[in-house]
Amino acid sequence: MAKVSQIDIRDLSYTIEDKQILDGMSLSLAEQRVGVVGRNGSGKSTFARLVAGLVAPTKGTIRVNDLNLAKDRRAAMGEVGILFQNPEHQIIFPTVGEEIAFGLQQQGASKSAATEAMLDILDQFSLSHWKEAYIATLSQGQKHLVTLMSVVAMKPALLVLDEPFAGLDIPTKAQMKRYLNLYEGSLLHITHDPGDLEAYDSIIWIDQGRIQNVGSKEEVFPVYLEAMNRLGEHDDLADLSG
Ligand SMILES: Nc1ncnc2c1ncn2[C@@H]1O[C@H](COP(=O)(O)OP(=O)(O)OP(=O)(O)O)[C@@H](O)[C@H]1O
Ligand SMILES: [Mg+2]
């Protein structure tokens, strides 16, 4: 049975240097596949970091499976994994094998168990030959794939994906999509492409740091796309969120 994560957000606000980035968000979801859409600068990546507990709210609360992950970092390790929009912000080790094994050891796996799980995930992606590869020599899309393998190897109950397909070629994206479709835990997936969210149960539309709409694909996408296309007809991007 697949495990469904419960996300409870009450009156969440987040401010940096007097700039209100997220403002008064409230939401309660227990779905296995949740999509997040919104314009550039609307606050999606900030929201992802808050859900993963990497930063604490300025106001309000976030609970994932009834845990306050910003306070309880130990619990957070098994509960939530995050794939950053920019792989450079995630990678620590020189080689692919070390990078993947590190997260597993952080979770408490022994060195040999971590190595075994690392070899297993590389094998699942048919990339066993990448084990000794230097990450610095990989392309941007290949680095993205390394960070994805690192985080899925940890099997978090909730996996937060911030634009996981950005920069991937068509076969790699298809492979990653197939893999994520089979992921047993819950996914919270940020993307600009509604086509990535065909199999998703709920969609959150964030606009200017607020929840503009939450509902099924059928409820959210038509209004979202209409609004985005209307904005796209103008050359003036001065109203870009931010
Ligand atoms: N560390 C920071 N310091 C100051 N402002 C920040 C910081 N991080 C984010 N912001 C601001 O918060 C707003 C939301 O940023 P965020 O990265 O969450 O947007 P996003 O929806 O993920 O955008 P994109 O679609 O381009 O990835 C932006 O206006 C950004 O400039
Ligand atoms: Mg972002």
Side-chain angles (χ1 to χ4, degrees):
M1 228 347 236
K3 187 167 182 272
V4 176
S5 283
Q6 168 86 34
I7 305 174
D8 283 304
I9 298 175
R10 296 233 179 100
D11 199 24
L12 170 77
S13 294
Y14 187 70
T15 307
I16 297 182
E17 292 160 9
D18 293 335
K19 190 176 169 206
Q20 180 95 9
I21 296 175
L22 301 180
D23 185 11
M25 288 183 158
S26 289
L27 146 91
S28 193
L29 282 176
E31 309 274 6
Q32 230 220 335
R33 298 288 184 259
V34 179
V36 180
V37 295
R39 298 194 69 192
N40 293 131
S42 56
K44 303 179 301 298
S45 293
T46 308
F47 177 70
R49 283 194 291 274
L50 279 149
V51 171
L54 298 179
V55 288
T58 313
K59 190 166 156 266
T61 55
I62 296 198
R63 297 185 81 82
V64 176
N65 298 330
D66 223 14
L67 295 164
N68 181 336
L69 300 177
K71 285 213 173 116
D72 191 349
R73 294 304 302 151
R74 186 174 285 272
M77 292 289 291
E79 213 61 31
V80 183
I82 180 167
L83 180 77
F84 288 119
Q85 189 165 9
N86 182 348
E88 311 286 351
H89 293 167
Q90 193 138 8
I91 291 164
I92 305 172
F93 282 89
T95 68
V96 172
E98 288 170 298
E99 180 66 28
I100 297 174
F102 171 71
L104 295 156
Q105 280 187 268
Q106 283 286 99
Q107 272 187 322
S110 67
K111 196 156 192 263
S112 62
T115 303
E116 202 172 307
M118 173 268 284
L119 293 171
D120 187 49
I121 195 89
L122 284 172
D123 184 49
Q124 283 182 50
F125 280 83
S126 309
L127 289 172
S128 299
H129 55 290
W130 276 23
K131 180 173 159 279
E132 307 290 344
Y134 281 95
I135 298 174
T137 66
L138 299 178
S139 75
Q140 192 68 11
Q142 289 169 328
K143 284 179 187 166
H144 217 114
L145 194 50
V146 171
T147 54
L148 182 91
M149 288 188 291
S150 303
V151 78
V152 296
M154 295 167 76
K155 299 194 172 81
L158 172 64
L159 184 50
V160 179
L161 303 162
D162 195 352
E163 316 249 10
F165 302 145
L168 296 185
D169 64 29
I170 295 167
T172 308
K173 174 172 168 173
Q175 183 194 16
M176 206 190 254
K177 216 171 168 176
R178 272 197 306 278
Y179 186 88
L180 290 173
N181 280 342
L182 296 174
Y183 193 73
E184 287 215 346
S186 295
L187 302 180
L188 183 79
H189 181 154
I190 297 169
T191 176
H192 288 285
D193 182 358
D196 293 342
L197 302 175
E198 278 148 12
Y200 279 58
D201 308 309
S202 278
I203 309 296
I204 306 171
W205 171 12
I206 297 178
D207 194 56
Q208 297 189 22
R210 293 167 177 268
I211 292 177
Q212 178 80 18
N213 205 342
V214 188
S216 66
K217 290 185 295 289
E218 293 73 20
E219 286 161 340
V220 177
F221 280 153
V223 258
Y224 169 70
L225 291 172
E226 213 243 85
M228 294 303 110
N229 289 328
R230 196 159 12 91
L231 288 167
E233 281 164 13
H234 303 286
D235 285 330
D236 179 11
L237 291 177
D239 64 343
L240 194 64
S241 291

